[in-house]
């Protein structure tokens, strides 16, 4: 399974919103400028995040986006599933022979477990070279 830029940049949006949680709406142009990403592309990604109820939008001069729930209540899996679809390492698992099918299902379940148990808050608190509260990423 390969996560595209949709999933990666969608997580970037969510992490940046989590870092500013409780401060009001954050304009996408600020995130785009800080991360050197296309604002137009981020606009395309934030729409499904808003439609799924993960973010809220605020219009106006001081508008932007903010998380709809606390970052501790939003899993990485919810973001990835909205932007990438179901987690599936290979297509047609049901057609594979039993030993291979079991392997692909185990891989899918391991990735799903990591995404399900990692919150946006976990990702927002992570800093390079420092694992907050001993949190480790294993697949």
């Amino acid at each position: 399974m390969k996560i595209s830029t949709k999933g990666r940049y969608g997580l970037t949006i969510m992490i940046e919103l989590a870092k500013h949680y409780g401060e009001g709406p954050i304009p996408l142009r600020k995130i785009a400028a800080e991360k050197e990403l296309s604002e137009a592309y981020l606009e395309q990604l934030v729409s499904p995040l808003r439609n799924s109820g993960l973010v809220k939008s605020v219009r106006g001069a001081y508008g932007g986006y903010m998380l709809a729930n606390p970052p501790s209540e939003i899993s990485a899996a919810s973001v990835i599933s909205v932007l990438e679809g179901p987690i599936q390492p290979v297509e047609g698992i049901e057609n594979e022979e039993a030993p291979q099918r079991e392997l692909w299902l185990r891989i899918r379940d391991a990735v799903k477990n990591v995404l399900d148990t990692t919150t946006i808050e976990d990702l927002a608190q992570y800093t390079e070279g420092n694992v907050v509260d001993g949190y480790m990423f294993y697949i």
Side-chain angles (χ1 to χ4, degrees), residues 24-131:
I26 306 298
L28 279 186
R29 72 178 165 276
K30 179 180 179 185
I31 297 171
E34 288 177 3
K35 299 298 178 180
E36 299 179 356
L37 301 172
S38 163
E39 183 179 351
Y41 189 47
L42 296 186
E43 284 286 351
Q44 291 175 14
L45 299 178
V46 82
S47 181
L49 295 172
R50 186 184 68 243
N51 292 340
S52 68
L54 293 174
V55 298
K56 295 180 196 177
S57 61
V58 177
R59 294 178 182 246
Y62 299 102
Y65 295 90
M66 57 187 168
L67 297 179
N69 295 304
S72 62
E73 296 177 12
I74 303 171
S75 70
S78 61
V79 177
I80 295 298
S81 67
V82 164
L83 296 172
E84 298 282 357
I87 297 162
Q88 192 170 325
V90 294
E91 293 190 27
I93 291 175
E94 62 279 351
N95 298 328
E96 293 285 344
E97 293 180 23
Q100 286 189 38
R101 182 175 51 245
E102 180 61 25
L103 172 66
W104 301 132
L105 291 173
R106 288 175 52 200
I107 291 170
R108 180 204 60 197
D109 293 345
V111 170
K112 188 173 177 341
N113 181 54
V114 170
L115 293 172
D116 283 341
T117 59
T118 303
T119 67
I120 298 303
E121 181 177 59
D122 296 330
L123 297 172
Q125 290 178 350
Y126 180 84
T127 57
E128 203 64 38
N130 180 27
V131 180

